Amino acid sequence: MVEWTEFERATIQDIFTNMNYDVVGQQSLARCLIVYPWTQRYFGKFGNLYNAAAIMGNPMVAAHGKVVLRGLEKAAKNMDNIKATYADLSVLHSEKLHVDPDNFRLLGDCLTVVVAAQLGAAFTPEAQAAFQKFLAVAISSLRRQYH
Amino acid sequence: MSLSAKDKLAVKTFFGKVAPKVEDIGREALARTLFVYPQTKTYFSHWADLSPSSPQVKKHGLTVLNGVLSAVELIDDLKGGLLTLSELHAFMLRVDPANFKIINHNLLVVFAMMFPDDFTPEVHVSVDKFLAQVSLALAEKYR
């Protein structure tokens, strides 16, 4: 089981409570599709992803970014049981969506960059460590049902 | 994933903004590398203080980022231009090249923090490609 310090719990709650899901969701997913263009392979039905401007303005990207963040919020609300919380989501990503789990890390990195831009100096090294640990646990849980 | 003309321009423009803050950014990026990825501390066991406020971290962060800035000037021939630095890392420092990805990630985080408006997704992809090329050039002489 993952051990969380009080500081880590408080930091994660803080970040998610104060997050603007519309903005951060859209920006993280859009950034991922732009910085790592091969991730676009999973979004063939999203219409125009031809360039950065199109991706940034695409409403399906914005909507789906929010879906992803709501998923992470579930983990943030169940930090002592992320593995169980994500069991069904893991099966979904593996069996139905067929997402290469390496992509989780890429999206996680883009989310870290967006949160850093939002928080500025408040994103201290300690906060970054807590946030990246949380993402690592979420990603590991999401990978769990792959076989 | 080599650098297009557009990438090179984006990199030169963005690092022009980084240059005046090289000390702060270098220190922040190295501090985060040591703090968030504790395994990197193994390369600095000879330092008394490995905390973000350490004078050695400040000095070395500056050294590292100055190295990256010099690579911007050599962007048209990174392998050739960084040959000496590659030999240093390969034969003397023997830093596992996996760590280049770590410090690159932390550079990106600090760029996002300090330049939230300039570090757009398009700049991000060009800078990420550039740092990856720098890492490759640094690893050139390893074996």
Side-chain angles (χ1 to χ4, degrees), chain A:
Chain A
M1 207 181 98
V2 184
E3 304 262 343
W4 301 101
T5 65
E6 281 312 308
F7 173 81
E8 284 165 347
R9 289 178 193 276
T11 300
I12 299 307
Q13 295 317 306
D14 236 0
I15 289 177
F16 278 87
T17 310
N18 295 317
M19 194 185 289
N20 181 331
Y21 283 72
D22 288 318
V23 168
V24 174
Q26 180 265 330
Q27 287 198 4
S28 314
L29 183 57
R31 197 167 277 254
C32 186
L33 296 171
I34 293 167
V35 178
Y36 308 107
W38 52 95
T39 57
Q40 291 170 27
R41 75 188 303 278
Y42 302 107
F43 301 101
K45 300 202 168 104
F46 273 33
N48 186 357
L49 298 177
Y50 298 137
N51 53 44
I55 293 171
M56 290 297 286
N58 187 310
M60 291 182 83
V61 170
H64 195 68
K66 204 165 157 186
V67 166
V68 171
L69 271 196
R70 290 287 173 207
L72 280 170
E73 191 190 23
K74 255 195 228 164
K77 292 199 162 131
N78 290 283
M79 284 176 71
D80 288 316
N81 211 354
I82 297 179
K83 200 164 68 182
T85 307
Y86 271 10
D88 288 341
L89 264 178
S90 179
V91 171
L92 174 77
H93 283 75
S94 158
E95 304 297 306
K96 186 154 175 265
L97 304 176
H98 305 292
V99 178
D100 178 340
D102 226 44
N103 292 282
F104 303 151
R105 180 183 50 89
L106 300 180
L107 180 56
D109 283 350
C110 286
L111 178 58
T112 303
V113 164
V114 169
V115 168
Q118 294 275 313
L119 297 179
F123 198 56
T124 60
E126 291 84 354
Q128 183 184 343
F131 190 64
Q132 290 194 202
K133 177 177 168 178
F134 169 75
L135 286 179
V137 174
I139 287 170
S140 162
S141 302
L142 211 48
R143 294 181 79 123
R144 206 109 201 324
Q145 302 303 323
Y146 277 71
H147 63 93

Side-chain angles (χ1 to χ4, degrees), chain B residues 86-98:
Chain B
S86 180
E87 281 169 351
L88 174 75
H89 284 76
F91 303 129
M92 283 211 38
L93 304 176
R94 286 179 286 204
V95 176
D96 189 326

